[in-house]
Amino acid sequence: MHDIVHTRRIARLLASASAAGLAMATPALAQDQTPPATITPPTAPPTTAAQGPEGAEFGATQDIVVTAQFRQQKLQDIPIAITAVNSAELEAKNQTNLAQVADNAPNVSLKPQGASFGPSVVASIRGVGQNDFNPAYEPGVGIYIDDVYYPQLTGAVFDLLDLDRVEILRGPQGTLAGRNSEGGAIKLYSKKPTGEGGGFVEVSYGSRNRIGVRGAADFKITDTLFGRISGVAKQQEGFVDRIDFGCANPSSGIPATQSGGDCTISKLGGIGYQAIRGILRWQPTDALEVNVIGDYTHDEHTIAGEVLLATSPINSPNVNPVPGVPYDDRFLCGRFCNYITTGQPAATWVPPIPVDPLGAAGTPLAATTGNDRSLYDGWGVSGQINYQVNDTIALTSITGYREFDTRFDSDDDLSPANVGFGKNHLTNWSFSQELRANAQLTDALNLTIGAYYFKQESLYDSLQDIRYVPVFPLQFRQPDPTKADAKAVFAQASFNPFEGFTLSGGLRYTDESKDQQYFRLNLDGTVNRFLDPVGAVYGVGYSGPDTQGLFGGGTVTALSGLIAKYSAKRVDYRLAADYRFSPELLVYASFSTGFKGGGSNPRPFNAQQVIPFAPEQLNAYEVGLKSDFFDRKARFNLSAFINDYKDIQIPVSTCPGAPCAARLNAGEGQIKGFEAELSVFPVPGLAIDASLSYLTFKYNADSLNPSATFPTNPGGVVANDPPTVPPWKFGLGAQYKADLGNAGSITPRFDVNYQDKQYTGPTVLNGTRIRNFIPAYTLVNARLTWTNANEDLDISLEALNLLDKYYLLTIFDLRGAGAGFRKGRPGSPQEFALTVKKKF
């Protein structure tokens, strides 16, 4: 009852401010601000609050109020495909990070990356997204924390700490959310302080020494100032053994670094996460509300555990760990182990005999060292001011700042061989400001206008020690800064010409730019002569005549100091029409556009490889229905879409036999698909939810860029390549709350998730193009919860991956580039945990 009263009070507060005003955003691209979710039961509320999926205890679906179109609307009234999950459902499904929520949403993929990409994710919605964390690239899915846009894929597997809800908007949100929400947007909303007191403390213990503590407290400071603070700390051992190869294979000739019988150095894929969030909410009058939100995250753990799946043998004195021992299948360890090292020894470069065109023979290579830890620190602060000028007009100001710093090392070959080793340090800060006015012009016409500014800077300082390239050594630093900014103005309107029928539309103009600067330096800070011969001779930033005649005369340009500039202006728009045939059925149709920004190749090996790529564009056509049937005991939402995809950005190899991948615009394509979501509440206490999605992708063969296609470009596309997301996804969950009277209640829950096989890109071996796929898999999770009669104490036993399925999250194949390895990141094996939660 307390939760229902709480949400009704929030609803009254929201009604006193504008729908736009309660759209608490703060940083970059926060263009679709949404107030705390309001859940209103269809009938008089029962004596206890809803538990688990929305409406499970009521025995009927509930109304969730959001402002995806800058004004308050029920979720079932919005002509957008949205998956919304409240806090009770997150808890019931054991969902503690964002990737787990995405697993249950149709046509949504959010997966953690392998160790080569640090603490980053691959994010896509409806087949549109991004798989590379490099700040030179833009994400295709917008991720927001309390309406604060998170501009990078690094660190984006957020813990779901003290959330009110998660919203996933599918389809391009170019007008509502702005740039880089081409595939859609994912939004996390914290519980806001009410001053009513209360909170919770939760502790858990489980497999692999899993220890977790979570808590939150709401408090009243004055009659008009309220606060809420929440925090989480969790740790867990990894599940991929890092083994000393020489210790485990004493006859190999490779020296051991471990002594004794235990050859395991560490457990990779661990968890070490701490975060805290504080919120102050000031409401001196019914017309004015100010929210200030601050958060800090420290994430330190062993790097992602990967396993070697296959090799293409390399027999080179620069690569072999000891003479006579090539890099080959001997370093395949098993399903949950590898042989990584954390550096490479000092050496002298041995060129291929008899060819040495660059005079690389005898080049000294310094020893490189690192560790098997991943470190991420991030924080943010936002201020949101909402002012109701009068009954017609509301104003909103949203200011945000975010910053993170991450370090990770990677032994890509997963062995003691000296194939490649990298040390990575990435920093990023971003600032945004938005001003918005919302007007209720008539009973039938709503209008929102606004302006937006965003700025960010990144520095990606990477030390690479790559020794498999046969021509010359690649031991260098690349401390490359990237600066970006964007400005936008937008308008959104909705019109009800007659009862049941609504027309809505939006328009956004965006002006964005990006500068990326390159440096290719030796470890001592001098210019690397192999990667930047012009810079080594003429100096950093040189562009002019070849006065010494060393490069054939004419004008030459140094790679170090070179700045690649990108800018674009873009107009996005959206049109939608919906008609409510009855209180139970809404149908809609829409057309919307979106784009993902362009830029230049961030990993060139010479100035000629600084290749620009244009923005990616999407035009989306969608039809759908939203329905509640059988006295609201069943909710069924269905959508179907066609995406016309233009200037598709793809990764390709620009120099065979070396890892100089770039982005090119491949051409045009079309994505088609559908999504279905079902919630059923046959009787009070029983909840069943399901989702199903499918998509297919096809290139327009006549539009393909020859520079981006195979065989012209190794690793490039061909016309019949499949989508790089799973075509089919399916999820099914069920729970039943059994009342035990004075003994409380007990709730068993089961969730089943299926993911189809997923294409991860090609590799080329001996002239043959090979497609890589992550195999399909099905996971089963379970939870059994006892709740006391007062409903302030929960004890839960949970099982993740109950059937102990072996599956892969990623596959990374660099055999075609000459690196010799194909590796993957396995998902977590079966684990159990006991959790105790006390509410107060």
Side-chain angles (χ1 to χ4, degrees), residues 424-477:
N424 301 275
H425 182 198
L426 173 61
T427 61
N428 174 275
W429 66 260
S430 61
F431 168 82
S432 70
Q433 174 64 54
E434 181 177 354
L435 296 174
R436 190 171 66 238
N438 185 293
Q440 178 81 41
L441 300 179
T442 69
D443 289 342
L445 180 61
N446 290 272
L447 175 66
T448 300
I449 60 173
Y452 171 75
Y453 174 75
F454 165 72
K455 183 179 180 65
Q456 74 166 335
E457 292 189 10
S458 301
L459 177 62
Y460 181 32
D461 189 352
S462 173
L463 185 158
Q464 295 296 319
D465 186 3
I466 300 170
R467 304 189 185 184
Y468 66 83
V469 177
V471 181
F472 52 79
L474 291 175
Q475 190 177 73
F476 61 95
R477 275 188 59 209

Side-chain angles (χ1 to χ4, degrees), residues 73-96:
Q73 293 175 284
K74 296 177 182 178
L75 180 67
Q76 291 297 92
D77 290 339
I78 301 177
I80 300 174
I82 302 177
T83 298
V85 184
N86 62 22
S87 59
E89 188 168 356
L90 294 174
E91 180 179 356
K93 292 182 176 181
N94 311 331
Q95 292 173 342
T96 60

Side-chain angles (χ1 to χ4, degrees), residues 281-311:
R281 176 167 163 255
W282 181 51
Q283 191 171 18
T285 69
D286 289 343
L288 177 63
E289 180 177 348
V290 179
N291 290 279
V292 178
I293 305 173
D295 65 83
Y296 171 73
T297 298
H298 176 76
D299 189 5
E300 183 176 4
H301 52 81
T302 52
I303 59 174
E306 296 178 303
V307 298
L308 195 59
L309 302 174
T311 66

Side-chain angles (χ1 to χ4, degrees), residues 104 184 228 256 399 586 598 659 839:
N104 287 272
R228 188 175 183 93
T399 307
L586 174 84
K839 304 171 186 175

Side-chain angles (χ1 to χ4, degrees), residues 345-426:
T348 299
W349 178 259
V350 179
I353 303 297
V355 180
D356 184 17
L358 300 179
T363 300
L365 300 177
T368 51
T369 59
N371 57 49
D372 63 2
R373 309 288 295 177
S374 173
L375 174 64
Y376 172 91
D377 285 289
W379 64 276
V381 62
S382 63
Q384 306 143 17
I385 303 173
N386 308 300
Y387 181 59
Q388 188 78 33
V389 178
N390 52 40
D391 292 341
T392 301
I393 299 175
L395 303 177
T396 300
S397 173
I398 306 160
T399 307
Y401 179 87
R402 295 208 67 85
E403 184 175 316
F404 72 77
D405 184 312
T406 184
R407 299 172 185 265
F408 61 93
D409 301 339
S410 175
D411 180 28
D412 286 343
D413 52 272
L414 308 184
S415 78
N418 303 312
V419 175
F421 177 74
K423 293 179 65 67
N424 301 275
H425 182 198
L426 173 61

Side-chain angles (χ1 to χ4, degrees), residues 116 168 191 197 306 328 345 387 403 589 594-595 621 712 715 748 766 830:
S116 302
I168 300 178
K191 291 182 178 178
E306 296 178 303
D328 56 23
Y387 181 59
E403 184 175 316
F595 80 103
Y621 305 84
T712 302
N766 301 318
Q830 180 189 77

